[in-house]
Amino acid sequence: MNKFYGKELKDMTFGEMTLLSVDIQILSFEKSNIPQKHINDSLVIREGLLSKCINDGGDYDRERFRREFNGENQLELVGAFTEYEVVTPKYIH
């Protein structure tokens, strides 16, 4: 759990670290049944931070954060592909 928004913790900017703390706070509020007003207030703060982080090049989607926080990361392929083969199914059931 050392990677959020597609970045290692050590590579995050101050703004991204602050956004991460707000995302953790919102998740905590949701799990603790905190009144929706507090969650909404935190989401407003998140939007302000998001606009400051947008040029830092991360993927700041809340659902991606939730998956990363819960250890449900999707496998990401990195690399260059130079050959491919077109496969067509012979039988469709």
Side-chain angles (χ1 to χ4, degrees):
M1 195 163 65
N2 291 327
K3 192 172 184 179
F4 294 97
Y5 314 126
K7 294 184 171 188
E8 298 287 333
L9 286 175
K10 63 181 178 60
D11 297 329
M12 286 186 183
T13 65
F14 177 78
E16 289 170 328
M17 293 293 284
T18 306
L19 180 64
L20 177 61
S21 70
V22 170
D23 275 337
I24 292 170
Q25 174 184 324
I26 293 169
L27 189 61
S28 174
F29 283 176
E30 291 169 345
K31 289 183 177 187
S32 301
N33 296 320
I34 298 292
Q36 188 63 39
K37 180 194 179 315
H38 298 302
I39 295 172
N40 291 343
D41 291 344
S42 294
L43 287 169
V44 169
I45 293 169
R46 183 186 194 279
E47 287 301 312
L49 289 168
L50 181 63
S51 66
K52 292 183 179 192
C53 291
I54 209 72
N55 292 328
D56 293 332
D59 176 0
Y60 306 110
D61 179 67
R62 284 261 316 134
E63 287 307 312
R64 178 179 179 157
F65 161 77
R66 190 182 316 269
R67 285 191 312 272
E68 290 170 337
F69 189 84
N70 291 324
E72 302 167 356
N73 294 342
Q74 295 178 353
L75 178 63
E76 295 181 17
L77 298 176
V78 179
F81 300 95
T82 57
E83 295 181 18
Y84 65 92
E85 180 178 340
V86 177
V87 178
T88 56
K90 292 184 179 183
Y91 303 101
I92 298 178
H93 298 277

